[in-house]
Amino acid sequence: MRSFSLWVPIAFAAVVFAVPAKDCAHKVKERVPPPRGWTKSAPAPADHIIELRIALPQPKFSELEQHLYEVSDPFGTRYGQHLSKEEVESLIAPEPESIHLVNEWLASHGLIEENLSRSPAKDWVIVKVPVSLAEEMLKTEYHVWTHDASGDAVVRTTAYSIPEHLDDHVELIQPTTSFSRFRNLKTSFRINDAQEKSALIPADAPPISVPSASGGHVDASCNQTITITCLLELYNAVGFKASAHNGNQIGITGYLEQFANKHDLQLFYADQRPDALNSSFKTILINGGENNQTLSEAGAEANLDTQFAYGLTFPTPGTFFSTGGRPPFKPDTLTPSDTNEPYSEWLDFVLAQKTLPQTISTSYADDEQTVPVSFAKRVCNGFAQLGARGVSLMFSSGDGGVGDGEEDPALQQCFTNDGRNVTRFVLSVPRVPFVTAVGGTIHIPETAVFFSGGGFSDVFPRPAYQELAVSKFLDTLAPGTYKGLFNPNGRAIPDVAAQADLFRIFLSGRPVSIGGTSAAAPTFSGIVSLLNSARLSKGLPPLGFLNPLIYTIHALEASAFNDITVGNNPGCGTPGFNATKGWDPVTGVGTPNFGKLKDIVTLDLLHIPGL
Ligand SMILES: *[C@@H]1O[C@H](CO)[C@@H](O)[C@H](O)[C@H]1NC(C)=O
Ligand SMILES: *[C@@H]1O[C@H](CO)[C@@H](O)[C@H](O)[C@H]1NC(C)=O
Ligand SMILES: *[C@@H]1O[C@H](CO)[C@@H](O)[C@H](O)[C@H]1NC(C)=O
Ligand SMILES: *[C@@H]1O[C@H](CO)[C@@H](O)[C@H](O)[C@H]1NC(C)=O
Ligand SMILES: *[C@@H]1O[C@H](CO)[C@@H](O)[C@H](O)[C@H]1NC(C)=O
Ligand SMILES: *[C@@H]1O[C@H](CO)[C@@H](O)[C@H](O)[C@H]1NC(C)=O
């Protein structure tokens, strides 16, 4: 039954092969070259349980995408008229025939409705099965694969097949060929040097004036220690009062057993936001996510994200989503499940909710080339559904400059993963067109921080909303620059930027200085949430999917963003790209000027002078 791998040509998936008569003919659905940086070891134990996610095609997805762009186009007549949960689901639903045929196939392997769970739109079927059954269903063989650099292990295969008659009714099945490694994006994590740092600046140093606000300034200490006050001043948001009661909410996602500690939050508030003392946030546990409030278990990433996002937006109600499940498992301890990259678990949960926070920030990523294209697209479609429902999604742009986010240059893997082994810039997520990617700055006046992730997707083509801004940048590159290292026609990131280093947070009871585009995403999200608060208080709908608005404002009212023109983002042994006038693949269109953005988004967008 497994002999097919010996003779099916490697390059193309669409090959039918002979099978014993009692089986129906199978067809290879997906085949990947052995992933670079991983070593195949023993066959997976037959009784190891895996959770198969089966994607049924979404034949009306392009209609959903059209709705998404219509309700997100600030010049469109439908701007802000977001879709309901039910409307989105009807545009995502598979054909009844697909559901029927897949059910029939599952039933032939003894899997009945009781064994299955389904996403709200029924476009995903999820079933826990032992490896032995998965191998039979997919005519494949699972192995334990070990990640060379970290020692992490996963149960995966490099090819799988499904019955031929299901080819048009199943888009993909995972975990099979996905070798992604999910990680959070904090880079420069330094315990307890917070006091030393601020001591470097004399107490009587004059304030630094900032270009964004007329006559605005920040305290001199902000050049070495970023606090809530620094950000409110720098981004021209001092004095704005968010509402606790207009329905506005902000959400932070947490993965990888990161817990946001409530005691640390109070210490942070006492330090930086005394009026928020005693306020807290709601934690939602997803897919076995945990919430261990023991002080020593506090997560640096989760504390950073929540302290700054909630601190910037107080008294806006905050939610922390703690999603469990991560791909690698320890082959010796045989954990009971070996899940997919956890974005899909989170999406299953939030898409099933009637009401959602209007602004959600994520500071976790995996590398683009480690996620199969089919899977990346489906996860991306999940983000589009949230956008259509009026949710703004912010993601950190990555901490490896144009490289893969490995801090140690010796570990950087600047090669394609397609078997050709050619040198290539690599991107972390999110190069997805339907989310807003946030790059990083440092110091005041702001310059690009060296680790700010940026570049061009090999998977997603450049969306229309950024065509003008990105092609202007490409025109500034000397002919032949980095030829072959990036795809000039790809979705370009980041879209925007915010401060990303020297943040003062509290962790396990102590002040800590921390950095990464991990810090930039909750910061930019905080500003977006304040904009949403201003809109909701005026009876206007939330901003939803931001990118068409961001690039429109940038084209017509560029001063609503602080253009970053100094710095670059080295990686893969190159100096990376330069921050330039206008959009660039280091800091996007720049950092936000809240005051100006608020004026724009709380007026009737169609009648702003100049817009
Ligand atoms: C499917 O559900 C049935 C009935 O609850 C159960 O007996 C069977 O063990 C389940 N199969 C699997 C693979 O979990
Ligand atoms: C902030 O710090 C940077 C880096 O040390 C320095 O170049 C810059 O001049 C400082 N800004 C001010 C206003 O002193
Ligand atoms: C927080 O609670 C403490 C103890 O109940 C109280 O003394 C303090 O005034 C409260 N602070 C705020 C800002 O509400
Ligand atoms: C929380 O973490 C502490 C310290 O690591 C541990 O002793 C405790 O068992 C954990 N609690 C739960 C509910 O997991
Ligand atoms: C790919 O190329 C790099 C650099 O030339 C080399 O170090 C590595 O061994 C190659 N890997 C494979 C699998 O050919
Ligand atoms: C970045 O700017 C430097 C200095 O102007 C220039 O030499 C270099 O070619 C630029 N790099 C790119 C990728 O454009």
Side-chain angles (χ1 to χ4, degrees):
M1 132 182 146
R2 287 165 184 152
S3 60
F4 71 91
S5 61
L6 297 176
W7 56 271
V8 171
I10 295 296
F12 297 102
V15 177
V16 184
F17 48 91
V19 288
K22 71 177 169 67
D23 289 345
C24 49
H26 268 57
K27 180 172 173 179
V28 175
K29 191 69 188 172
E30 196 158 27
R31 174 184 297 283
V32 299
R36 139 189 270 293
W38 291 84
T39 302
K40 181 177 172 179
S41 38
D47 58 353
H48 176 69
I49 301 291
I50 53 177
E51 186 177 272
L52 287 182
R53 300 180 63 92
I54 304 167
L56 277 49
Q58 304 161 328
K60 286 193 278 193
F61 181 78
S62 59
E63 254 180 77
L64 176 89
E65 192 178 358
Q66 193 185 333
H67 284 286
L68 171 66
Y69 279 112
E70 283 178 20
V71 301
S72 312
D73 169 9
F75 289 129
T77 53
R78 290 182 65 204
Y79 184 71
Q81 293 173 25
H82 301 119
L83 276 57
S84 68
K85 173 174 179 288
E86 291 71 24
E87 286 166 335
V88 166
E89 281 164 16
S90 72
L91 291 166
I92 284 300
E95 301 285 1
E97 193 194 0
S98 300
I99 298 178
H100 170 73
L101 291 173
V102 169
N103 281 351
E104 215 175 58
W105 173 57
L106 293 170
S108 75
H109 289 282
L111 300 167
I112 53 177
E113 200 61 36
E114 286 173 72
N115 303 111
L116 316 176
S117 59
R118 298 181 192 272
S119 61
K122 301 195 172 10
D123 55 326
W124 285 103
V125 183
I126 297 151
V127 59
K128 287 193 167 121
V129 294
V131 159
S132 53
L133 180 54
E135 290 183 332
E136 191 184 313
M137 293 165 71
L138 304 177
K139 298 267 185 281
T140 187
E141 194 174 342
Y142 278 90
H143 278 80
V144 174
W145 290 76
T146 311
H147 185 246
D148 302 337
S150 66
D152 288 345
V154 297
V155 169
R156 293 291 186 272
T157 174
T158 51
Y160 67 97
S161 62
I162 57 170
E164 210 179 358
H165 73 283
L166 291 181
D167 196 37
D168 290 340
H169 302 284
V170 170
E171 208 164 282
L172 65 98
I173 301 179
Q174 290 291 350
T176 48
T177 54
S178 176
F179 287 83
S180 61
R181 292 187 64 244
F182 205 64
R183 59 181 160 215
N184 56 359
L185 289 173
K186 67 183 165 41
T187 50
S188 38
F189 174 47
R190 296 180 295 274
I191 298 270
N192 246 7
D193 66 351
Q195 292 92 336
E196 286 167 45
K197 286 225 159 276
S198 34
L200 296 174
I201 296 185
D204 59 353
I208 311 171
S209 61
V210 287
S212 54
S214 42
H217 65 270
V218 298
D219 195 86
S221 64
C222 297
N223 208 21
Q224 274 171 0
T225 305
I226 291 291
T227 61
I228 294 291
T229 306
C230 295
L231 294 173
L232 292 174
E233 288 174 348
L234 181 59
Y235 297 140
N236 190 19
V238 175
F240 176 76
K241 295 226 179 331
S243 164
H245 306 293
N246 63 0
N248 193 40
Q249 295 183 49
I250 184 163
I252 297 292
T253 66
Y255 299 94
L256 306 176
E257 292 97 54
Q258 282 273 334
F259 317 123
N261 189 277
K262 299 195 171 181
H263 178 69
D264 281 336
L265 182 67
Q266 296 309 314
L267 296 175
F268 176 81
Y269 282 162
D271 186 55
Q272 298 184 25
R273 184 93 216 211
D275 58 327
L277 266 171
N278 302 341
S279 71
S280 194
F281 58 92
K282 180 168 76 180
T283 298
I284 295 179
L285 306 180
I286 300 170
N287 189 40
E290 291 171 39
N291 180 27
N292 188 333
Q293 285 295 313
T294 305
L295 205 52
S296 62
E297 293 290 304
E301 178 67 68
N303 275 12
L304 166 65
D305 300 347
T306 50
Q307 289 172 14
F308 272 87
Y310 304 154
L312 284 168
T313 58
F314 174 78
T316 305
T319 299
F320 180 70
F321 298 101
S322 172
T323 303
R326 62 156 108 198
F329 86 126
K330 297 284 172 232
D332 47 352
T333 55
L334 275 192
T335 52
S337 75
D338 181 27
T339 60
N340 287 291
E341 58 101 299
Y343 286 146
S344 18
E345 312 286 351
W346 180 76
L347 280 167
D348 286 349
F349 176 85
V350 289
L351 286 170
Q353 307 306 306
K354 205 116 193 132
T355 15
L356 292 167
Q358 296 84 351
T359 310
I360 301 180
S361 183
T362 298
S363 297
Y364 300 76
D366 38 29
D367 294 334
E368 174 167 75
Q369 59 169 321
T370 65
V371 183
V373 172
S374 56
F375 198 24
K377 288 189 169 159
R378 278 301 284 243
V379 171
C380 180
N381 290 0
F383 295 136
Q385 294 169 55
L386 288 174
R389 287 178 58 183
V391 178
S392 304
L393 297 169
M394 260 58 64
F395 280 71
S396 323
S397 72
D399 289 347
V402 294
D404 69 353
E406 286 294 348
E407 293 152 47
D408 180 353
L411 291 178
Q412 285 206 346
Q413 303 262 342
C414 299
F415 304 97
T416 56
N417 206 7
D418 57 4
R420 293 182 302 146
N421 196 26
V422 291
T423 308
R424 191 87 173 156
F425 289 164
V426 288
L427 274 193
S428 293
V429 291
R431 63 291 164 185
V432 169
F434 309 125
V435 307
T436 299
V438 187
T441 64
I442 188 170
H443 294 313
I444 300 156
E446 290 186 274
T447 61
V449 67
F450 71 93
F451 54 70
S452 185
F456 299 78
S457 174
D458 280 332
V459 172
F460 296 98
R462 179 151 65 249
Y465 59 73
Q466 63 172 193
E467 179 59 36
L468 182 68
V470 175
S471 53
K472 268 191 190 161
F473 170 81
L474 291 171
D475 287 346
T476 69
L477 287 181
T481 303
Y482 299 145
K483 194 169 184 335
L485 289 180
F486 72 99
N487 167 23
N489 302 314
R491 151 63 163 142
I493 66 162
D495 300 297
V496 292
Q499 285 279 322
D501 207 354
L502 311 174
F503 278 51
R504 179 177 163 91
I505 65 162
F506 279 76
L507 179 64
S508 301
R510 300 189 300 171
V512 168
S513 175
I514 189 169
T517 51
S518 271
T523 299
F524 193 84
S525 298
I527 298 295
V528 170
S529 181
L530 295 179
L531 293 172
N532 271 330
S533 190
R535 275 177 68 85
L536 294 183
S537 288
K538 290 193 86 176
L540 295 166
L543 294 166
F545 173 42
L546 289 172
N547 295 358
L549 176 69
I550 287 172
Y551 287 92
T552 300
I553 293 176
H554 176 63
L556 300 171
E557 190 61 66
S559 66
F561 294 97
N562 311 309
D563 195 2
I564 311 300
T565 57
V566 177
N568 58 314
N569 58 351
C572 299
T574 76
F577 293 108
N578 290 331
T580 59
K581 196 167 174 314
W583 181 90
D584 54 71
V586 193
T587 56
V589 301
T591 63
N593 181 330
F594 171 78
K596 290 200 171 156
L597 288 167
K598 179 175 78 74
D599 289 348
I600 293 172
V601 303
T602 54
L603 293 169
D604 179 348
L605 288 165
L606 293 170
H607 297 105
I608 304 165
L611 266 198

